[in-house]
């Protein structure tokens, strides 16, 4: 059964051009973030490798460009491509980690909420309701301004806004799963609640989780970029893609566009790739949502 | 209906109360506001006195009580920076934000609904696939970056549109508005487009999903059999019935737009509430942040309330409990 499912999955994947394009983008970006530092000639955070003479070089194909710097350099002579490669690692790390945290917390709360219902359920769901009536960007911005900035704070803020989606999704599927006979059978067989939740409910609510998680990574990367752009995200010592765009904003008015255009373009394609693939997963794994 | 309305109003009050507690608690974690108001070279005794004056020497609970009673009496505190009532500062800037948000959502709806109807009614045409891919790209765009690129293209490179400010405004019904002058329009168009993109993509996708669902229904087939024109089927029968999720998302998006206006206003130096919020965060101007959050909380809750009421008006099948 599993094999059949996966082969049909593969068959549809091969016929779905956007999905292939999306995952190709992800593979390219993933590789870039992983081994990119080996491919670029410069470590932009090692001051000894920087040449101030090379500051604000335009991209290589433009007049005045330097073939050593494909996408140009910034005000300190740092290679924009190298900055992007290093920044992408930070952005991807934040997106994935925040996804993992909010997935674990949200799923746990969702399982408990759906399985036990009652008071716990209403408390969790009321909190979720209140939180969902506010845009996640605003909540994250507020948390960052209240508790200070830094990577750890960004992760906490993203987790705080992200768990709701998981809790809701998991609670919904849990509610419909526990009606089914195999759960009743497990109860009759004398399994404890914990066993039933972990061994029987959880595996059966995983599918929508995969879809939600994919999309969430993209959302988190965008929120983090916005926070960093506003100056309440990651610190200047660990610049994500969003912070690179912010730094480029200051020189945009003197006509230097490449220091902000390329990091932003990179965010766009990264999130676009995630969304294309996520869309495909959603259609495949959950045809009801199509 | 009346009972439902009252119940919802009570819920709204409860939500606002919870928000006030959260906002208050969070704000009491953000450093010591006493250093915002005293000169740097103050003595220990002066600091203590300022603390007493601000009520910071009391317990957290009694501080909250004072905060809440002041809120209810319409006293929202004074900005540490401007030394003016925080509420006045925000209300003064609110028309600018609302104006931009309304232009953005109008723009988004005007483009998104027809495209969504088309893509939903003809899901297999290449044009529909193109529209859907485009909308996915719209969701993936970092809004601040789009704004910057628009500035670069239209203001720096071609000097065609201004990059900052509201331009010439005209007093209308006591509000200063940009959309009444040509100069104002030239200022509002770039920020509004920046703000509209993500919303456009979302409204488009919801409209399409709703249309695809509706087009399968028997009454559409019946309308076809009856010989109704395609236009009438699409907009009279189809869109009308696909509107419910669109209205929900419309309300949510209005809230999102107010939140994202903070970014857009920062980029375009648009003198609205969002820019005030960001500036206040930088300056640690706590009263302004608190009032902004309470006011936006109120606006969001009110939007949700209105959306719920609007449901019953557009779909008689939904009856309130």
């Amino acid at each position: 059964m599993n094999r059949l499912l996966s082969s049909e999955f593969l068959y549809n994947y091969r016929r779905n051009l956007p999905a292939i394009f999306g995952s190709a983008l992800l593979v390219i970006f993933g590789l870039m973030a992983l081994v990119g530092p080996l491919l670029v000639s410069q470590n932009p955070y090692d001051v000894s490798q920087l040449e101030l003479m090379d500051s604000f070089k335009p991209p290589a194909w433009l007049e005045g460009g330097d073939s050593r710097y494909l996408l140009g350099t910034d005000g300190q002579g740092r290679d924009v491509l190298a900055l992007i490669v290093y920044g992408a690692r930070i952005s991807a790390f934040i997106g994935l980690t925040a996804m993992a945290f909010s997935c674990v917390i949200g799923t746990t709360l969702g399982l408990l909420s759906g399985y036990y219902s009652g008071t716990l359920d209403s408390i969790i769901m009321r909190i979720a309701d209140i939180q969902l009536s506010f845009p996640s960007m605003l909540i994250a911005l507020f948390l960052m301004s209240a508790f200070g900035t830094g990577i750890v704070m960004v992760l906490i803020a993203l987790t705080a806004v992200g768990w709701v989606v998981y809790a809701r999704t998991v609670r919904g599927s849990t509610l419909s799963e526990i009606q089914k006979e195999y759960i009743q059978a497990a109860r009759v067989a004398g399994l404890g609640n914990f066993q039933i939740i972990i061994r029987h409910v959880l595996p059966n609510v995983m599918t929508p989780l995969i879809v939600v998680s994919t999309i969430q990574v993209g959302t988190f990367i965008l929120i983090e970029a916005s926070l960093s752009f506003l100056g309440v995200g990651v610190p200047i010592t660990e610049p994500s893609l969003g912070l690179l765009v912010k730094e480029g904003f200051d020189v945009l008015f003197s006509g230097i566009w490449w220091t902000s255009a390329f990091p932003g373009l990179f965010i766009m394609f990264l999130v676009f790739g995630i969304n294309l693939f996520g869309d495909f997963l959603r259609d495949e794994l959950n045809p009801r949502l199509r | 209906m009346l009972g439902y309305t009252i119940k919802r109003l009570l819920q709204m009050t409860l939500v606002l109360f919870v928000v006030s507690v959260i906002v208050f608690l969070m704000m009491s974690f953000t450093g010591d506001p006493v250093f915002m108001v005293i000169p740097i070279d103050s003595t220990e005794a002066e600091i203590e006195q300022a603390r007493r004056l601000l009520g910071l020497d009391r317990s957290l609970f009694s501080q909250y009580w004072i905060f809440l009673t002041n809120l209810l009496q319409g006293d929202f505190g004074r900005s540490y920076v401007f030394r003016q009532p925080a509420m006045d500062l925000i209300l003064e800037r609110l028309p600018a934000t609302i104006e931009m948000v309304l232009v953005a959502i109008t723009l988004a709806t005007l483009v998104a609904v027809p495209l969504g109807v088309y893509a939903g009614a003809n899901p297999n045409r290449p044009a529909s696939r193109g529209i859907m891919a485009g909308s996915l790209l719209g969701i993936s765009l970092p809004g601040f970056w789009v704004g910057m690129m628009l500035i670069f293209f239209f203001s720096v490179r071609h000097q065609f549109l201004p990059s900052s400010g509201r331009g010439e405004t005209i007093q209308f019904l006591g509000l200063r508005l940009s959309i009444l002058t040509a100069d104002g329009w030239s200022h509002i168009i770039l920020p509004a487009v920046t703000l509209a993109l993500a919303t456009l993509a979302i409204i488009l996708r919801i409209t399409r999903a709703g249309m695809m669902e509706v087009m399968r229904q028997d009454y559409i087939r019946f309308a076809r059999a009856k010989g109704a024109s395609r236009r009438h089927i699409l907009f009279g029968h189809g869109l009308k019935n696909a509107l419910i999720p669109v209205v929900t998302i419309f309300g949510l998006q209005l809230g999102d737009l107010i939140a994202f206006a903070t970014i857009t206003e920062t980029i375009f130096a648009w003198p609205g509430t969002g820019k005030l919020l960001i500036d206040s965060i930088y300056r640690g101007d706590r009263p302004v942040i608190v009032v902004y959050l309470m006011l936006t909380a109120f606006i969001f809750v009110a939007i949700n309330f209105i959306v719920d009421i609007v449901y019953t008006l557009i779909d008689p099948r939904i009856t309130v409990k």
Side-chain angles (χ1 to χ4, degrees):
Chain A
M1 180 64 197
N2 211 352
R3 187 179 292 175
L4 179 78
L5 196 81
S6 67
S7 71
E8 188 193 328
F9 178 81
L10 273 183
Y11 175 76
N12 283 338
Y13 173 75
R14 273 194 235 113
R15 284 159 40 99
N16 190 322
L17 210 62
I20 295 174
F21 181 65
S23 41
L25 280 177
L26 288 184
V27 169
I28 295 171
F29 290 150
L31 281 179
M32 247 180 96
L34 278 176
V35 300
L38 302 173
L39 301 179
V40 291
S41 54
Q42 183 197 54
N43 175 359
Y45 302 107
D46 180 358
V47 184
S48 66
Q49 293 183 26
L50 305 180
E51 304 250 5
L52 269 180
M53 295 294 292
D54 290 343
S55 66
F56 292 135
K57 290 253 186 233
W61 62 88
L62 291 179
E63 205 185 311
D66 187 322
S67 62
R68 284 176 300 161
Y69 309 113
L70 183 61
L71 302 180
T73 61
D74 75 351
Q76 299 167 49
R78 298 185 295 187
D79 182 9
V80 171
L81 182 63
L83 284 170
I84 291 178
V85 165
Y86 281 82
R89 298 167 75 122
I90 296 170
S91 291
F93 167 77
I94 290 177
L96 290 170
T97 318
M99 182 271 282
F101 284 163
S102 50
C103 181
V104 170
I105 294 175
T107 307
T108 313
L109 290 175
L111 281 171
L112 294 176
S113 197
Y115 190 83
Y116 290 107
S117 45
T119 323
L120 181 76
D121 178 40
S122 14
I123 293 175
I124 295 177
M125 284 305 122
R126 284 301 82 73
I127 297 176
D129 282 346
I130 294 183
Q131 194 172 325
L132 279 177
S133 58
F134 297 96
S136 34
M137 177 62 211
L138 197 66
I139 299 177
L141 181 63
F142 174 48
L143 289 175
M144 297 305 292
S145 61
F147 294 117
T149 56
I151 286 195
V152 178
M153 266 317 301
V154 172
L155 288 176
I156 294 176
L158 291 179
T159 309
V161 298
W163 70 273
V164 189
V165 188
Y166 289 97
R168 280 234 164 159
T169 316
V170 172
R171 174 180 175 268
S173 353
T174 307
L175 279 178
S176 73
E177 285 303 318
I178 56 173
Q179 306 289 331
K180 294 186 181 162
E181 276 152 3
Y182 70 92
I183 299 289
Q184 286 166 17
R187 281 212 180 106
V188 174
L191 282 183
N193 285 333
F194 181 74
Q195 286 275 334
I196 295 179
I197 293 178
I198 297 293
R199 300 271 289 276
H200 296 280
V201 182
L202 183 59
N204 286 299
V205 300
M206 284 299 265
T207 324
L209 272 188
I210 299 173
V211 178
V212 170
S213 297
T214 321
I215 308 282
Q216 281 295 90
V217 175
T219 314
F220 284 152
I221 290 179
L222 276 185
I223 296 181
E224 181 276 323
S226 309
L227 291 174
S228 298
F229 178 78
L230 288 173
V232 292
V234 296
I236 205 143
T237 47
E238 283 154 312
S240 66
L241 294 169
L243 198 63
L244 294 178
V245 178
K246 175 193 165 64
E247 288 176 1
F249 189 37
D250 303 332
V251 293
L252 186 71
F253 290 94
S254 15
I256 292 157
W257 53 272
W258 52 90
T259 54
S260 50
F262 292 120
L265 207 61
F266 195 92
I267 302 178
M268 182 187 87
F269 277 117
L270 181 61
V271 179
F272 188 47
I274 294 174
N275 283 338
L276 277 176
F277 192 63
D279 244 27
F280 163 73
L281 281 182
R282 190 192 53 203
D283 290 350
E284 276 313 302
L285 301 176
N286 199 350
R288 217 163 37 84
L289 283 175
R290 195 187 279 259
Chain B
M1 186 68 195
L2 184 69
Y4 175 76
T5 312
I6 291 172
K7 196 179 147 205
R8 282 302 320 259
L9 282 173
L10 285 176
Q11 272 177 7
M12 274 171 67
T13 322
L14 185 70
V15 169
L16 286 177
F17 171 73
V18 173
V19 170
S20 80
V21 173
I22 296 173
V23 166
F24 174 79
L25 280 180
M26 295 278 183
M27 279 300 129
S28 48
F29 287 111
T30 49
D32 194 339
V34 81
F35 295 106
M36 287 299 305
V37 288
I38 52 159
I40 297 172
D41 53 354
S42 304
T43 61
E44 201 62 30
E46 281 169 337
I47 294 179
E48 272 316 302
Q49 198 194 345
R51 215 179 273 277
R52 250 198 316 281
L53 276 175
L54 291 173
L56 291 168
D57 55 339
R58 297 166 204 252
S59 75
L60 211 55
F61 183 77
S62 82
Q63 278 189 49
Y64 174 72
W65 183 246
I66 295 170
F67 168 73
L68 187 67
T69 46
N70 282 347
L71 274 189
L72 293 177
Q73 288 167 3
D75 176 4
F76 299 92
R78 279 168 172 272
S79 156
Y80 297 151
V81 178
F82 296 95
R83 316 266 160 181
Q84 288 179 40
M87 196 56 163
D88 294 0
L89 279 173
I90 291 185
L91 287 181
E92 198 182 300
R93 287 163 176 77
L94 196 59
T97 300
I98 291 185
E99 182 180 50
M100 187 171 80
V101 165
L102 288 183
V103 172
I105 202 156
T106 311
L107 208 67
T109 314
L110 287 181
V111 179
V113 170
L115 287 179
V117 168
Y118 177 84
N122 318 289
N124 293 319
R125 288 202 197 157
S128 303
R129 291 181 194 275
I131 290 172
M132 290 313 287
S135 75
L136 205 61
L137 196 64
I139 295 175
S140 315
L141 284 171
F144 55 92
W145 178 75
V146 176
M148 285 171 56
M149 293 302 111
L150 289 176
I151 287 183
F152 177 74
F153 194 77
F154 289 106
S155 310
V156 180
R157 170 122 333 159
H158 294 292
Q159 288 164 7
F160 179 59
L161 289 169
S163 69
S164 68
R166 280 185 83 181
E168 195 187 326
T169 55
I170 285 185
Q171 201 86 14
F172 181 71
L173 298 176
L175 303 172
R176 283 176 57 222
L177 296 179
S178 295
I179 47 170
L180 298 173
T181 64
D183 185 48
W185 269 104
S186 75
H187 280 81
I188 205 171
I189 196 74
L190 289 185
V193 167
T194 308
L195 198 56
L197 277 178
T199 302
L200 195 165
I202 292 170
I203 296 182
L204 194 163
R205 294 177 82 80
I206 301 286
T207 312
R208 170 191 177 257
M211 279 304 280
M212 283 177 74
E213 187 66 38
V214 167
M215 293 308 275
R216 283 191 211 122
Q217 305 295 324
D218 284 341
Y219 55 78
I220 295 291
R221 203 168 298 162
F222 182 74
R224 281 212 183 105
K226 192 177 73 173
S229 70
R230 180 152 179 83
R231 191 192 164 86
H232 185 72
I233 292 172
L234 285 184
F235 291 92
H237 295 278
L239 181 62
K240 204 175 150 201
N241 287 292
L243 264 180
I244 292 160
V246 177
V247 170
T248 321
I249 216 72
F250 194 82
L252 285 174
Q253 283 301 309
L254 212 53
D256 264 14
L257 283 181
I258 294 174
F260 276 100
T262 53
I263 299 173
T264 317
E265 286 176 7
T266 308
I267 301 169
F268 290 94
W270 185 262
T273 51
K275 187 168 180 339
L276 179 70
L277 174 74
I278 300 295
D279 291 345
S280 302
I281 287 175
Y282 288 146
R283 299 180 192 128
D285 198 348
R286 209 151 94 173
V288 179
I289 304 177
V290 169
V291 178
Y292 177 89
L293 289 171
M294 290 308 299
L295 189 71
T296 37
F298 178 76
I299 294 177
F300 292 155
V301 172
I303 290 174
N304 284 338
F305 175 72
I306 293 169
V307 166
D308 279 358
I309 300 294
V310 170
Y311 275 159
T312 58
L313 297 180
I314 54 175
D315 189 350
R317 283 173 306 182
I318 298 179
T319 46
V320 291
K321 287 177 239 104

